[in-house]
Each structure stands twice: as structure tokens, then as C-alpha cells.
Amino acid sequence: MPRAEPLPEFEDRAPADRFCDLILTGGVTSAIAYPGAVFALASFYRFNSIGGSSSGGGAAALAAAAEYRRRRGSSDGFRLLAERTDDLANVVNGKTGLEWLFQPARQHRRIFTALVPGVASPTGKIGKLLCGFLKAYWFCIGLGFLGAWGVVRCATDHVSGLAVLAFVALAVLLGALVMVLMLAFDLKRVVNYDFGMCSGIDKLAGAPREPLTVWLHNLIQDIPGRPREA
């Protein structure tokens, strides 16, 4: 959803001789808070040494790009930093802009769909993991029921309570077996991909947002007012 209130205007009140260093640690939660902190600090200080690790490194790069632009006569970089990072909270096609930054590579979409709902949720992890696995591996259940139907059909011509019970039990067993095999196959591909699922470059078909690496690259170019590289 769009913000209920507009973002505050950036007021550059930092004296020419007032500097501070900026070191940003990693962590997704911290990275979400960093743009606002950078925006506030930049109003009173000019940044000198800037660095960070992991997601903090990305935020540090954006801060450095904005400071680069300020030292060349314009503070618009900090305004753009605030606007573009705040836009990540807006929901598009059922996901926030932040969620759209993490788009799995084609070979990892199934396991990504299965794991992310439970892993990312602060509560009800087991239930959401179960829902995620059912959403990602529903076809395994279908194959289980299809295989069980074939076995029961060949074994008996009579529909009885025992036949129905055997059908359900066999369907569950075969569905679970197929799911385990598919999960093992998908996990092996994750291991072969150095335990990563999102390259930051692969874009899902029809996705309304750019993946992380592309988004970050474009923003690092836009904030200092430089042309985007092809």
C-alpha cells in the first residue's frame, strides 16, 4: 500500500566541516532500517568513511552514492534513496517490493516456494511450512493418488470399505515417497548451486519488479545521477 503520509523533505543542514564515519553491519532487519537512518544522519553530517558487511554493504554503497552526489552540488541523492527504498513497502501482485527483490532461479522455484513462507514468518512456522510444501509439491500427492488407483484397480474389481482404506493408505504412502524423492532432488540442486536459490539477476516471467542485484545496480547509478550501464 502507498504511504499514508508523504516522505519528509531532505534538509541539508550539515556544515562543510562536520563529518562522521558510517559502518553498517549485516542483517535483513538492520538493512531495512538503514535508509531512514542514513537520511536522518545526512541532514546533520557529511559522510567521510563509509563501509559495511552483507546487506549493510549494500546500504553503505547507496549512502556513498548519495554523498558523492552531494559533494558535486546536489543533495537529491538522499531524497531519491529515501523514496526508492520506501517504495519497497508497497504491495504489487500480492507481494511487497522487498519480497520481489528475491526471485529464485528457475531450478529452485519449487523449493523456494516450499520453504520461504515458514522461514520468513515470525509465527506459525510449522503450519506455513506445511502450506508451502503442499503448494509447491501438490503434484506429488496427485501422482500418489493416481498410482494408488492403478494398484487397487488391478488388485480388485469390488469397491469395499477395505479397498477404499487400502487406496487412501497407498495414495498417502506413494505421494509421500514421490515428495521425498523430489525434495531430495531439489535440495541436491541447491547444494550444487553453492546453497543459493536467488542469483539476484534471474527475473520471474511477468514479475513487476527487478531482482535484487539489478535493482541495487540501477539505484546505485540513479542516486548519484549517473547513466545506467547496459
Side-chain angles (χ1 to χ4, degrees), residues 161-179:
L162 184 61
V164 172
L165 182 61
F167 168 76
V168 172
L170 188 58
V172 172
L173 179 62
L174 290 177
L177 178 61
V178 174
M179 183 179 292

Side-chain angles (χ1 to χ4, degrees), residues 109-187:
R109 291 177 188 174
R110 190 164 47 231
I111 193 167
F112 185 87
T113 300
L115 293 176
V116 166
V119 173
S121 176
T123 59
K125 289 183 177 293
I126 295 178
K128 290 182 179 179
L129 272 175
L130 179 60
C131 290
F133 272 94
L134 290 176
K135 181 179 179 181
Y137 294 94
W138 62 267
F139 66 93
C140 297
I141 299 173
L143 290 174
F145 273 87
L146 184 63
W149 180 85
V151 171
V152 173
R153 179 69 175 170
C154 293
T156 179
D157 293 329
H158 303 287
V159 178
S160 63
L162 184 61
V164 172
L165 182 61
F167 168 76
V168 172
L170 188 58
V172 172
L173 179 62
L174 290 177
L177 178 61
V178 174
M179 183 179 292
V180 168
L181 292 175
M182 289 303 304
L183 181 59
F185 175 72
D186 290 342
L187 285 172

Side-chain angles (χ1 to χ4, degrees), residues 23-207:
I23 306 298
L24 307 178
T25 60
V28 175
T29 303
S30 298
I32 293 173
Y34 283 149
V38 168
F39 185 88
L41 285 171
S43 299
F44 302 97
Y45 297 93
R46 296 180 182 275
F47 299 126
N48 189 20
S49 298
I50 306 174
S53 61
S54 189
S55 57
L62 298 178
E67 183 63 38
Y68 171 91
R69 186 169 184 172
R70 174 159 63 178
R71 295 191 183 188
R72 280 153 181 78
S74 172
S75 60
D76 281 348
F78 292 106
R79 176 189 55 79
L80 185 58
L81 168 62
E83 289 178 353
R84 296 279 286 276
T85 53
D86 182 74
D87 180 58
L88 293 178
N90 291 329
V91 177
V92 181
N93 294 356
K95 294 183 180 180
T96 64
L98 181 62
E99 290 176 288
W100 280 116
L101 292 181
F102 300 94
Q103 301 179 33
R106 181 180 298 275
Q107 65 269 32
H108 303 313
R109 291 177 188 174
R110 190 164 47 231
I111 193 167
F112 185 87
T113 300
L115 293 176
V116 166
V119 173
S121 176
T123 59
K125 289 183 177 293
I126 295 178
K128 290 182 179 179
L129 272 175
L130 179 60
C131 290
F133 272 94
L134 290 176
K135 181 179 179 181
Y137 294 94
W138 62 267
F139 66 93
C140 297
I141 299 173
L143 290 174
F145 273 87
L146 184 63
W149 180 85
V151 171
V152 173
R153 179 69 175 170
C154 293
T156 179
D157 293 329
H158 303 287
V159 178
S160 63
L162 184 61
V164 172
L165 182 61
F167 168 76
V168 172
L170 188 58
V172 172
L173 179 62
L174 290 177
L177 178 61
V178 174
M179 183 179 292
V180 168
L181 292 175
M182 289 303 304
L183 181 59
F185 175 72
D186 290 342
L187 285 172
K188 185 176 185 301
R189 291 202 291 189
V190 172
V191 172
N192 292 339
Y193 206 69
D194 294 330
F195 296 94
M197 286 185 278
C198 304
S199 69
I201 298 175
D202 297 290
K203 185 178 181 181
L204 295 173

